[in-house]
Amino acid sequence: HSAEAFPIAPRTAATAISTTVRTNSNMQSTDEKHILNRITPDEVSLEIKDPVDPTALQQAKAIMEELMDGDYVGASQLMAVAKRLGDIPDDGTSYTVSKDACRAAFDGLTDVERSALVNIHGRVKAFAEAQRRSVSDIEVDIPGGKAGHTVSPCSAAGCYAPGGRYPLPSSVIMTAVTARAAGCETVVLASPRPAKITMAAAHIADVDTFLCVGGAQAIGAMAYGIAPTDGVEIPRCDVICGPGNKWVTAAKSIVNGKCGIDMLAGPSEVLVICDDTANPKVVAADLIAQAEHDVVARAILLSTSDEVIEQVDMAVKLQIAALPEPNKSTALQALKQSFAVKCDTIEHCVRISDDIAPEHLEIQTENAMQVGKDCKNYGGLFVGEHAAEVLGDYGAGPNHTLPTGGTGRYTGGLSVFNFLRIRTWMRVDDKAASQGMVNDSIVMARLEGLEGHARAAECRSTQDSKE
């Protein structure tokens, strides 16, 4: 179940709502002529879906039960499950990758590969550190004293990166570097059958422990830990993040509450708003780039120009024909649930986009920055022709793990804030000056019927009979 033997949506999170159409007849009638299905604005609607596959959930629960040895995951149990599911060869002796092996992988890269990895790491690290600096401890006056909050990282972060035939070293950077920038003392990475580039990414991201297992077994090991007396110690992670297949998503839903999670992974999506100033070839390339993620990925085009939609459609046909396999077949399948909508105005495009709340939102119009500011709901915003979504995928700075399926209406992408705790405190130094606050608390406690609360407040009153 851990084998990521198919393209997944690596930069997605928290899918709860998917965009669909009210009728399939319109979409099917355009298939012979257009590669992008044509629908009207009225045909765009929202369909609520559970992000967790029920079969995968039952399988993940069974794996979790098999792994446990008391309060921890047992090392021998983890090895048995990992070997059975193909994470580790039958003759394998360890469920971790050593730091020396990761360093050797980094040193073994070509100069071009190493330079790209170093550059991407640097940009993601700089952005995450800037995020961390944006929130700080505060202190304010209260009656008779002070109150404030402190900002502190969780102790241990668990990061998941897909492996197998479709390794995603960029996800190693996006998760582990962000956790480290937040200040996490320990960073654990899990990725099955890691490629050399994944190991190299683990080295530059300064990962403490690298689990070479995947699926539900990896999530279980990071959530419950492995005791130091039972093998290589894996701490119980306070937060687990990162994209994965349906068993990873199911397992994250199981451990949520035992530890924190970032989001529940779902199909990747891009929505492009464009007018007659857009470059159809560029728009087509961006739609294809999203479609090749997964057969259930979605590429959506909203435009004020019928001519541009037609030109984009033609460009998609030409460009997709030149893709290698399996990318071509994957993209073609994904485009079956993708669509284009002709809108009367850019404002109309914005309204539909806000209803969809796409994971990636590209603006390729006149006054693109202003149009972007008018949009309210999205995971990540990419403004102008040159701000390709793929640049965000590969380390412009902002994180590529973003909310999908409409959840951008209430949440954002992975960031240092996923690993930070805002903890409040208060102190009263002047009892007399605090009496207004004390009296208010007594009144409110009795209004709520909580006499014990009222009496606890009265103990702080200067009118307390005991004084």
Side-chain angles (χ1 to χ4, degrees), residues 109-179:
L109 297 177
T110 67
D111 290 342
V112 171
E113 293 168 340
R114 191 182 307 107
S115 176
L117 195 60
V118 169
N119 291 340
I120 291 169
H121 169 269
R123 289 190 290 267
V124 172
K125 182 172 183 284
F127 190 87
E129 289 177 344
Q131 283 186 321
R132 178 62 185 87
R133 292 192 299 271
S134 73
V135 59
S136 60
D137 296 354
I138 63 168
E139 183 177 297
V140 300
D141 293 327
I142 63 171
K146 299 284 186 180
H149 78 218
T150 60
V151 184
S152 60
C154 64
S155 176
C159 303
Y160 191 90
R165 283 170 36 191
Y166 299 93
L168 292 172
S170 57
S171 288
V172 176
I173 300 294
M174 294 290 175
T175 56
V177 171
T178 304

Coordinates of all heavy atoms in Angstrom, one line a residue, residues 109-179:
L109 N 26.0 14.1 -7.0 CA 25.2 14.9 -8.0 C 26.2 15.6 -9.0 O 27.3 15.9 -8.6 CB 24.4 15.9 -7.3 CG 23.3 15.4 -6.4 CD1 22.6 16.7 -5.7 CD2 22.3 14.5 -7.1
T110 N 25.7 15.8 -10.1 CA 26.5 16.6 -11.1 C 26.5 18.1 -10.6 O 25.7 18.4 -9.7 CB 25.8 16.6 -12.5 OG1 24.6 17.3 -12.4 CG2 25.6 15.2 -13.0
D111 N 27.4 18.9 -11.1 CA 27.5 20.3 -10.7 C 26.1 21.0 -10.9 O 25.7 21.8 -10.1 CB 28.6 21.0 -11.4 CG 30.0 20.5 -10.9 OD1 30.0 19.8 -9.8 OD2 31.0 20.7 -11.7
V112 N 25.5 20.7 -12.1 CA 24.3 21.4 -12.4 C 23.2 21.0 -11.4 O 22.4 21.8 -10.9 CB 23.8 21.0 -13.9 CG1 22.4 21.5 -14.1 CG2 24.8 21.7 -14.8
E113 N 23.1 19.7 -11.1 CA 22.1 19.2 -10.2 C 22.3 19.7 -8.8 O 21.3 20.2 -8.1 CB 22.1 17.6 -10.2 CG 21.6 17.0 -11.4 CD 22.0 15.5 -11.5 OE1 22.8 15.0 -10.7 OE2 21.3 14.8 -12.3
R114 N 23.5 19.7 -8.4 CA 23.8 20.2 -7.0 C 23.5 21.7 -6.9 O 23.0 22.2 -5.9 CB 25.3 19.9 -6.7 CG 25.6 20.2 -5.2 CD 27.1 19.9 -4.9 NE 27.5 18.6 -5.3 CZ 28.3 18.4 -6.4 NH1 28.8 19.5 -7.1 NH2 28.7 17.2 -6.7
S115 N 23.9 22.4 -7.9 CA 23.6 23.9 -7.9 C 22.1 24.2 -7.8 O 21.7 25.1 -7.1 CB 24.2 24.5 -9.2 OG 23.9 25.9 -9.2
A116 N 21.3 23.4 -8.6 CA 19.9 23.7 -8.6 C 19.3 23.3 -7.2 O 18.5 24.1 -6.7 CB 19.2 22.8 -9.6
L117 N 19.8 22.3 -6.6 CA 19.3 21.9 -5.3 C 19.7 22.9 -4.2 O 18.9 23.3 -3.4 CB 19.8 20.5 -4.9 CG 19.2 19.8 -3.7 CD1 17.7 19.5 -4.0 CD2 19.9 18.4 -3.4
V118 N 20.9 23.4 -4.3 CA 21.4 24.4 -3.3 C 20.6 25.7 -3.5 O 20.2 26.3 -2.5 CB 22.9 24.7 -3.5 CG1 23.3 25.9 -2.7 CG2 23.7 23.4 -3.1
N119 N 20.3 26.1 -4.7 CA 19.6 27.3 -5.0 C 18.2 27.2 -4.5 O 17.6 28.2 -3.9 CB 19.6 27.7 -6.5 CG 21.0 28.0 -7.0 OD1 21.9 28.4 -6.2 ND2 21.2 27.9 -8.3
I120 N 17.5 26.1 -4.8 CA 16.1 25.9 -4.3 C 16.1 25.9 -2.8 O 15.2 26.6 -2.2 CB 15.5 24.6 -4.9 CG1 15.4 24.8 -6.4 CG2 14.2 24.2 -4.3 CD1 15.1 23.5 -7.2
H121 N 17.0 25.2 -2.2 CA 17.0 25.2 -0.7 C 17.2 26.6 -0.2 O 16.5 27.0 0.8 CB 18.2 24.3 -0.3 CG 18.5 24.4 1.2 ND1 19.4 25.3 1.7 CD2 18.0 23.7 2.2 CE1 19.5 25.2 3.0 NE2 18.6 24.2 3.4
G122 N 18.0 27.4 -0.7 CA 18.3 28.7 -0.2 C 17.1 29.6 -0.3 O 16.8 30.4 0.6
R123 N 16.3 29.5 -1.4 CA 15.2 30.4 -1.6 C 14.0 30.0 -0.7 O 13.4 30.8 -0.1 CB 14.7 30.4 -3.0 CG 15.6 31.1 -4.0 CD 15.0 31.2 -5.4 NE 14.9 30.0 -6.1 CZ 15.9 29.5 -6.9 NH1 17.0 30.2 -7.2 NH2 15.7 28.4 -7.6
V124 N 13.8 28.7 -0.5 CA 12.7 28.2 0.4 C 13.1 28.5 1.8 O 12.3 29.0 2.6 CB 12.5 26.7 0.2 CG1 11.6 26.1 1.3 CG2 12.0 26.4 -1.2
K125 N 14.4 28.4 2.2 CA 14.8 28.7 3.5 C 14.7 30.2 3.9 O 14.2 30.5 4.9 CB 16.3 28.2 3.7 CG 16.9 28.5 5.1 CD 18.3 27.8 5.1 CE 18.9 28.0 6.5 NZ 19.4 29.3 6.8
A126 N 15.0 31.0 2.9 CA 14.9 32.5 3.1 C 13.5 32.9 3.3 O 13.2 33.7 4.2 CB 15.5 33.2 1.9
F127 N 12.6 32.3 2.5 CA 11.2 32.7 2.6 C 10.6 32.2 4.0 O 9.9 32.9 4.7 CB 10.4 32.1 1.5 CG 8.9 32.6 1.4 CD1 8.7 33.8 0.7 CD2 7.9 31.9 2.0 CE1 7.4 34.3 0.6 CE2 6.6 32.4 1.9 CZ 6.3 33.6 1.2
A128 N 10.9 30.9 4.3 CA 10.4 30.4 5.6 C 10.9 31.2 6.8 O 10.2 31.4 7.8 CB 10.8 28.9 5.7
E129 N 12.2 31.6 6.8 CA 12.8 32.3 7.9 C 12.1 33.7 8.0 O 11.9 34.2 9.1 CB 14.3 32.4 7.7 CG 15.0 31.1 8.0 CD 16.5 31.2 7.8 OE1 16.9 32.1 7.1 OE2 17.2 30.3 8.2
A130 N 11.8 34.3 6.8 CA 11.1 35.6 6.8 C 9.7 35.4 7.4 O 9.2 36.3 8.2 CB 11.0 36.1 5.4
Q131 N 9.0 34.3 7.1 CA 7.7 34.0 7.7 C 7.9 33.9 9.3 O 7.1 34.5 10.0 CB 7.1 32.7 7.2 CG 6.5 32.8 5.9 CD 5.9 31.4 5.5 OE1 6.4 30.4 5.8 NE2 4.7 31.5 4.9
R132 N 8.9 33.2 9.7 CA 9.1 33.1 11.1 C 9.3 34.4 11.8 O 8.8 34.7 12.9 CB 10.3 32.2 11.4 CG 10.7 32.0 12.9 CD 9.5 31.3 13.6 NE 9.7 31.2 15.1 CZ 9.4 32.2 15.9 NH1 8.9 33.3 15.5 NH2 9.6 32.0 17.2
R133 N 10.0 35.3 11.2 CA 10.3 36.6 11.8 C 9.0 37.5 11.8 O 9.0 38.5 12.5 CB 11.4 37.4 11.0 CG 12.8 36.8 11.1 CD 13.8 37.7 10.6 NE 13.7 38.0 9.2 CZ 14.2 37.2 8.2 NH1 14.9 36.2 8.5 NH2 14.0 37.6 6.9
S134 N 8.0 37.1 11.0 CA 6.8 38.0 10.9 C 5.9 37.9 12.1 O 5.0 38.7 12.3 CB 6.0 37.6 9.7 OG 5.3 36.3 9.8
V135 N 6.1 36.9 13.0 CA 5.3 36.8 14.2 C 6.3 36.7 15.4 O 7.3 36.0 15.3 CB 4.4 35.5 14.1 CG1 5.2 34.2 13.9 CG2 3.5 35.4 15.3
S136 N 6.0 37.4 16.4 CA 6.9 37.5 17.6 C 6.1 37.5 18.9 O 4.9 37.7 18.9 CB 7.8 38.7 17.5 OG 7.0 39.9 17.4
D137 N 6.8 37.4 20.0 CA 6.2 37.5 21.3 C 5.6 38.9 21.5 O 6.2 39.9 21.0 CB 7.2 37.3 22.4 CG 7.8 35.8 22.3 OD1 7.3 35.0 21.5 OD2 8.8 35.6 23.1
I138 N 4.5 39.0 22.2 CA 3.9 40.3 22.5 C 3.6 40.4 24.0 O 3.5 39.4 24.7 CB 2.6 40.6 21.7 CG1 1.5 39.6 22.1 CG2 2.9 40.6 20.2 CD1 0.2 39.9 21.6
E139 N 3.5 41.6 24.5 CA 3.1 41.9 25.9 C 2.2 43.2 25.9 O 2.6 44.2 25.3 CB 4.4 42.1 26.7 CG 4.1 42.3 28.2 CD 5.4 42.4 29.0 OE1 6.1 41.4 29.1 OE2 5.6 43.5 29.6
V140 N 1.1 43.1 26.6 CA 0.2 44.2 26.7 C -0.2 44.4 28.2 O -0.1 43.5 29.0 CB -1.1 44.0 25.8 CG1 -0.7 43.9 24.4 CG2 -1.9 42.8 26.3
D141 N -0.7 45.6 28.5 CA -1.2 45.9 29.8 C -2.6 45.4 30.0 O -3.4 45.4 29.1 CB -1.2 47.4 30.0 CG 0.1 48.1 30.0 OD1 1.1 47.4 30.5 OD2 0.2 49.2 29.6
I142 N -2.8 44.8 31.2 CA -4.2 44.4 31.7 C -4.4 45.1 33.0 O -3.4 45.5 33.7 CB -4.4 42.9 31.7 CG1 -3.4 42.3 32.7 CG2 -4.2 42.3 30.3 CD1 -3.7 40.8 33.0
P143 N -5.6 45.1 33.5 CA -5.8 45.8 34.9 C -4.9 45.1 35.9 O -5.1 43.9 36.2 CB -7.3 45.5 35.1 CG -7.9 45.5 33.8 CD -6.9 44.8 32.9
G144 N -4.0 45.9 36.4 CA -3.1 45.4 37.5 C -2.0 44.5 37.1 O -1.2 44.0 38.0
G145 N -1.7 44.4 35.8 CA -0.6 43.5 35.4 C -0.3 43.5 33.9 O -0.6 44.5 33.2
K146 N 0.1 42.4 33.4 CA 0.5 42.2 32.0 C -0.1 40.9 31.5 O -0.3 39.9 32.2 CB 2.1 42.2 31.9 CG 2.8 43.4 32.4 CD 2.7 44.5 31.4 CE 3.5 45.7 31.8 NZ 3.4 46.8 30.8
A147 N -0.2 40.9 30.2 CA -0.6 39.6 29.4 C 0.1 39.6 28.1 O 0.6 40.7 27.6 CB -2.1 39.6 29.2
G148 N 0.3 38.5 27.6 CA 1.0 38.4 26.3 C 0.9 37.0 25.7 O 0.2 36.1 26.2
H149 N 1.7 36.8 24.6 CA 1.8 35.5 24.0 C 3.3 35.3 23.7 O 4.0 36.2 23.4 CB 0.9 35.3 22.9 CG 1.3 35.9 21.6 ND1 0.4 36.4 20.7 CD2 2.5 36.0 20.9 CE1 1.0 36.9 19.6 NE2 2.3 36.6 19.7
T150 N 3.6 34.0 23.7 CA 5.0 33.6 23.2 C 4.8 32.7 22.0 O 3.8 32.0 21.8 CB 5.7 32.8 24.3 OG1 5.0 31.6 24.6 CG2 5.9 33.6 25.6
V151 N 5.8 32.7 21.1 CA 5.8 31.9 19.9 C 6.9 30.9 20.0 O 8.1 31.3 20.1 CB 5.9 32.8 18.6 CG1 5.8 32.0 17.4 CG2 4.9 33.9 18.6
S152 N 6.6 29.7 20.0 CA 7.6 28.6 20.1 C 7.3 27.4 19.2 O 6.1 27.1 19.0 CB 7.7 28.2 21.6 OG 6.4 27.6 22.0
P153 N 8.3 26.8 18.7 CA 8.1 25.6 17.8 C 7.8 24.4 18.6 O 8.1 24.2 19.8 CB 9.5 25.5 17.2 CG 10.5 26.0 18.2 CD 9.8 27.1 18.9
C154 N 7.1 23.5 17.9 CA 7.0 22.1 18.5 C 8.4 21.4 18.5 O 9.3 21.9 17.8 CB 6.0 21.3 17.7 SG 6.4 21.0 16.0
S155 N 8.5 20.4 19.2 CA 9.8 19.8 19.4 C 10.2 18.9 18.2 O 11.3 19.1 17.6 CB 9.8 18.9 20.6 OG 11.0 18.2 20.8
A156 N 9.3 18.0 17.7 CA 9.7 17.1 16.6 C 8.7 17.2 15.5 O 7.5 17.2 15.7 CB 9.7 15.7 17.2
A157 N 9.2 17.3 14.3 CA 8.4 17.4 13.1 C 8.6 16.1 12.2 O 9.7 15.7 12.0 CB 8.7 18.6 12.2
G158 N 7.5 15.6 11.7 CA 7.6 14.4 10.8 C 7.2 14.9 9.4 O 6.1 15.5 9.2
C159 N 8.1 14.6 8.4 CA 7.9 15.1 7.1 C 7.8 13.9 6.1 O 8.6 13.0 6.1 CB 9.0 16.0 6.6 SG 9.3 17.4 7.7
Y160 N 6.8 13.9 5.3 CA 6.6 12.8 4.3 C 6.9 13.3 2.9 O 6.4 14.4 2.5 CB 5.2 12.2 4.4 CG 5.1 10.9 3.6 CD1 5.3 9.7 4.2 CD2 4.7 11.0 2.2 CE1 5.2 8.5 3.4 CE2 4.7 9.8 1.5 CZ 4.9 8.6 2.1 OH 4.8 7.4 1.4
A161 N 7.6 12.6 2.1 CA 7.9 12.9 0.7 C 7.6 11.6 -0.1 O 8.2 10.6 0.2 CB 9.3 13.4 0.5
P162 N 6.8 11.7 -1.2 CA 6.6 10.5 -2.0 C 7.9 10.0 -2.6 O 8.8 10.7 -2.9 CB 5.6 11.0 -3.1 CG 4.9 12.2 -2.5 CD 6.0 12.8 -1.6
G163 N 7.9 8.7 -2.8 CA 9.1 8.0 -3.4 C 8.8 7.1 -4.5 O 7.8 7.3 -5.2
G164 N 9.5 6.0 -4.6 CA 9.2 5.0 -5.6 C 9.6 5.5 -7.0 O 10.6 6.2 -7.2
R165 N 8.7 5.3 -8.0 CA 8.9 5.7 -9.4 C 8.8 7.2 -9.6 O 9.3 7.7 -10.6 CB 7.9 4.9 -10.3 CG 8.3 3.5 -10.5 CD 7.2 2.7 -11.3 NE 6.5 3.5 -12.2 CZ 5.3 3.1 -12.8 NH1 4.8 2.0 -12.5 NH2 4.7 3.9 -13.7
Y166 N 8.2 7.9 -8.7 CA 8.0 9.3 -8.9 C 8.5 10.0 -7.6 O 7.7 10.6 -6.8 CB 6.5 9.6 -9.1 CG 6.0 8.9 -10.4 CD1 5.4 7.7 -10.3 CD2 6.1 9.6 -11.6 CE1 4.9 7.1 -11.5 CE2 5.7 9.0 -12.8 CZ 5.1 7.7 -12.7 OH 4.6 7.1 -13.8
P167 N 9.8 10.0 -7.4 CA 10.3 10.7 -6.2 C 10.1 12.2 -6.3 O 10.2 12.8 -7.4 CB 11.8 10.3 -6.3 CG 12.1 10.1 -7.7 CD 10.8 9.5 -8.3
L168 N 9.9 12.8 -5.2 CA 9.7 14.3 -5.1 C 10.7 14.9 -4.1 O 10.3 15.3 -3.0 CB 8.3 14.6 -4.7 CG 7.2 14.2 -5.8 CD1 5.8 14.3 -5.2 CD2 7.4 15.0 -7.0
P169 N 11.9 15.1 -4.5 CA 12.9 15.8 -3.6 C 12.4 17.2 -3.3 O 12.8 17.7 -2.2 CB 14.2 15.8 -4.4 CG 13.8 15.6 -5.9 CD 12.5 14.7 -5.8
S170 N 11.7 17.8 -4.2 CA 11.2 19.2 -3.8 C 10.3 19.2 -2.6 O 10.3 20.1 -1.8 CB 10.4 19.8 -5.0 OG 9.3 18.9 -5.4
S171 N 9.6 18.1 -2.4 CA 8.7 18.0 -1.2 C 9.6 17.8 0.1 O 9.2 18.2 1.2 CB 7.7 16.8 -1.3 OG 6.7 17.1 -2.3
V172 N 10.7 17.2 -0.1 CA 11.7 17.1 1.1 C 12.1 18.5 1.5 O 12.0 18.9 2.7 CB 12.9 16.3 0.7 CG1 13.9 16.3 1.9 CG2 12.6 14.9 0.3
I173 N 12.5 19.3 0.5 CA 12.9 20.7 0.8 C 11.7 21.5 1.4 O 11.9 22.2 2.4 CB 13.3 21.4 -0.5 CG1 14.5 20.7 -1.1 CG2 13.7 22.9 -0.2 CD1 15.8 20.7 -0.3
M174 N 10.5 21.4 0.8 CA 9.4 22.2 1.2 C 8.9 21.9 2.7 O 8.5 22.8 3.4 CB 8.2 22.0 0.3 CG 8.4 22.5 -1.1 SD 8.4 24.3 -1.1 CE 8.8 24.7 -2.8
T175 N 9.0 20.6 3.1 CA 8.6 20.2 4.4 C 9.7 20.3 5.4 O 9.5 21.0 6.5 CB 8.1 18.8 4.4 OG1 9.1 17.9 3.9 CG2 6.8 18.7 3.5
A176 N 10.8 19.7 5.2 CA 11.9 19.7 6.2 C 12.5 21.0 6.5 O 12.8 21.4 7.6 CB 13.0 18.7 5.8
V177 N 12.8 21.8 5.4 CA 13.4 23.1 5.6 C 12.4 24.0 6.3 O 12.9 24.8 7.1 CB 13.8 23.7 4.2 CG1 14.2 25.2 4.3 CG2 14.9 22.9 3.6
T178 N 11.1 23.9 6.0 CA 10.2 24.8 6.7 C 10.1 24.4 8.2 O 10.0 25.3 9.0 CB 8.8 24.6 6.0 OG1 8.9 24.9 4.7 CG2 7.7 25.5 6.7
A179 N 10.1 23.2 8.5 CA 10.1 22.7 9.9 C 11.3 23.2 10.6 O 11.3 23.7 11.8 CB 10.0 21.2 10.0

